[in-house]
Amino acid sequence: MATDTAATTEVSEDGVRRRDWIHIAALGTAGVGGASVLFPLISQMAPSADVLAASTTEVDVSAIQPGQSIKATFRKQPLFVKRLTADEIAKAKADDASDMRDPAKLADRTKAGHEDVLVTMGVCTHLGCVPLGAAEGENKGEFGGYFCPCHGSHYDVAGRIRKGPAPKNLVVPEYEFTSDTVIRVG
Ligand code: FES
C-alpha cells in the first residue's frame, strides 16, 4: 500500500516536471523564433543613409535676393523659399495682430535671426493646388505673398491665409539652418 502511494506520487511529480519542461522549452523556442523574426523587421524599418538623404532637401538661400522666391522640391512636393524685403518684414509684423483665420506671427514662421527667410510648402491648404507668386511676374494676390488660382485663396508675405477658401496657412516644414546660408528641410 505504502509502495503504491510512493509510486503514484513519483509518477505524478515526473508528470509535472515533464509538463514544466515542455512549457519552458516551448517558450524558449518562441522567444528565439520571435527574436529572429523581429530583428530583420526592425532593421528593415530603420531608414538607410540614402533614404534619409532623399527625404531631406538642402537649399542655398544666399542667391535669393530680397523680394524673390525660389521653388524647390521636398519629398516630391513643391517647396517655396522666399527672402523678404525690409518692407515686407515690417508689413508682416504689423499684421501679426490682425484678425486672421489661422493666427500666427512672422516670428513663429521663421527662424530667430533669419526672419527674412520664409520656408513654406507650395501647396494650397484648400485642395492642394500650387499657388502662384514664387516666380517672377506671377500674381502674388491681394496681400503680396501667394495666390492660389484654383479657387482664389490669398496668402500674405508670411504665407498666412488672408482671403479665400483655404483654411490654414501655408505649411512651414521642419527645417534648420546648417550654416548662415544653407537650410536643410526635413
Ligand atoms: S486649392 Fe487653392 S484655393 Fe482651392
Side-chain angles (χ1 to χ4, degrees):
M1 191 66 171
T3 307
D4 285 346
T5 304
T8 302
T9 302
E10 194 177 313
V11 167
S12 174
E13 281 177 355
D14 276 349
V16 169
R17 282 197 197 107
R18 192 171 297 116
R19 278 197 298 277
D20 284 351
W21 184 85
I22 290 167
H23 186 60
I24 291 163
L27 274 180
T29 306
V32 170
S36 62
V37 169
L38 273 179
F39 179 72
L41 270 180
I42 289 169
S43 61
Q44 276 172 21
M45 284 158 64
S48 58
D50 55 333
V51 169
L52 274 178
S55 65
T56 61
T57 295
E58 292 212 339
V59 179
D60 181 351
V61 299
S62 63
I64 308 172
Q65 297 303 308
Q68 277 188 337
S69 301
I70 61 156
K71 292 180 189 176
T73 304
F74 172 55
R75 294 177 186 163
K76 299 184 180 169
Q77 302 251 297
L79 177 79
F80 295 162
V81 184
K82 178 179 180 64
R83 188 181 288 279
L84 279 67
T85 64
D87 283 351
E88 285 174 329
I89 291 170
K91 173 97 178 77
K93 284 183 171 174
D95 283 359
D96 277 352
S98 300
D99 192 19
M100 290 190 213
R101 189 172 303 158
D102 184 12
K105 295 185 169 145
L106 176 66
D108 300 332
R109 294 175 58 75
T110 53
K111 299 291 186 196
H114 298 279
E115 63 181 2
D116 59 330
V117 177
L118 179 76
V119 182
T120 64
M121 299 309 297
V123 179
C124 181
T125 60
H126 181 220
L127 294 176
C129 288
V130 179
L132 300 173
E136 193 73 37
E138 284 185 352
N139 186 352
K140 295 179 190 295
E142 291 180 23
F143 296 84
Y146 300 105
F147 171 66
C148 182
C150 288
H151 312 94
S153 285
H154 298 253
Y155 297 90
D156 69 12
V157 292
R160 299 173 293 199
I161 182 65
R162 304 297 295 273
K163 185 177 177 184
K168 300 293 244 176
N169 301 332
L170 292 182
V171 170
V172 175
E174 291 275 325
Y175 74 97
E176 61 180 356
F177 276 83
T178 55
S179 74
D180 265 358
T181 56
V182 175
I183 58 168
R184 182 172 57 224
V185 185

